[in-house]
Amino acid sequence: MTDRPGLTPSQTVGPYLSLGLTWPEGADVVPAGTPDTIRISGVLHDGAGSPIPDGMIETWQADPAGRFAHPDDPRGAAEPSVPGFLGFGRCNTDPEGRWEIRTVRPGPLPAEDGAVEAPHLDVSVFARGLLDRVVTRIYFADDPANEADPVLNSVPAERRDTLVAQKDGEGVYRLDIHLQGPHETVFFTV
């Protein structure tokens, strides 16, 4: 018998996500008490519109300077502009399908042909019934850079709102994620 690799998200769909995919910092992309922390939250819904109590949301994002906390950033390694910034967050949904990430607002990113991508979070969604993750983005409704974002503008205008978190108080944004149905979130191929 050969050694097997550890669990992957695709092997743990359903109520087993919390068993093999714990992340020490959980939903905290920045340490508690970081200035300008924001909260992004929502509810994960299945195709019938019911909340999914056993899903998981992962986020990956640039820091406020538009740099990734990773040596593979195409512009080269750099210290995060926010002390303790991880760039990655992971949270399980609660019994009502709710999720929340605590982070700082990302900066814009360079795109192809000199374009600029608006500040956004890359999001992976894991849930029962999915054989693999689905991938989407979260943009911020109050960011004028959205109008020129090449990825957001590749989405039909009537569907863009499924990617745009609405301001829900000071430093709070909300975006529900729908896996199917009339309000289905736009998902991207990876």
Side-chain angles (χ1 to χ4, degrees), residues 4-184:
R4 294 183 182 188
L7 292 174
T8 67
S10 294
Q11 294 169 318
T12 56
V13 291
Y16 307 110
L17 294 169
S18 62
L19 297 178
L21 296 172
T22 57
W23 174 249
E25 287 78 12
D28 294 314
V29 178
V30 293
T34 298
D36 301 319
T37 296
I38 62 171
R39 295 180 306 146
I40 305 168
S41 64
V43 175
L44 179 60
H45 297 275
D46 66 16
S50 299
I52 298 175
D54 51 4
M56 184 175 72
I57 304 294
E58 287 182 347
T59 62
W60 176 246
Q61 69 173 87
D63 70 7
R67 300 298 298 257
F68 289 96
H70 196 277
D72 289 342
D73 186 306
R75 293 154 292 169
E79 286 295 315
S81 63
V82 173
F85 175 80
L86 299 172
F88 179 81
R90 176 185 283 163
C91 70
N92 294 331
T93 57
D94 71 10
E96 285 78 40
R98 295 178 300 215
W99 58 272
E100 179 177 277
I101 297 290
R102 293 168 294 280
T103 188
V104 289
R105 193 162 171 151
L109 296 170
E112 293 180 15
D113 300 327
V116 176
E117 291 184 6
H120 66 275
L121 280 72
D122 294 318
V123 179
S124 291
V125 180
F126 303 87
R128 58 181 151 84
L130 296 177
L131 296 179
D132 203 355
R133 69 185 174 141
V134 291
V135 178
T136 189
R137 286 184 169 195
I138 296 176
Y139 290 90
F140 301 90
D142 56 353
D143 198 317
N146 290 347
E147 291 185 28
D149 184 274
V151 175
L152 188 58
N153 286 310
S154 72
V155 173
E158 66 275 6
R159 301 282 321 273
R160 289 182 195 149
D161 64 331
T162 70
L163 302 174
V164 180
Q166 300 299 314
K167 197 154 182 145
D168 194 27
E170 188 60 38
V172 179
Y173 292 86
R174 180 179 172 91
L175 181 70
D176 289 348
I177 298 172
H178 296 263
L179 295 180
Q180 293 179 319
H183 305 292
E184 181 177 341

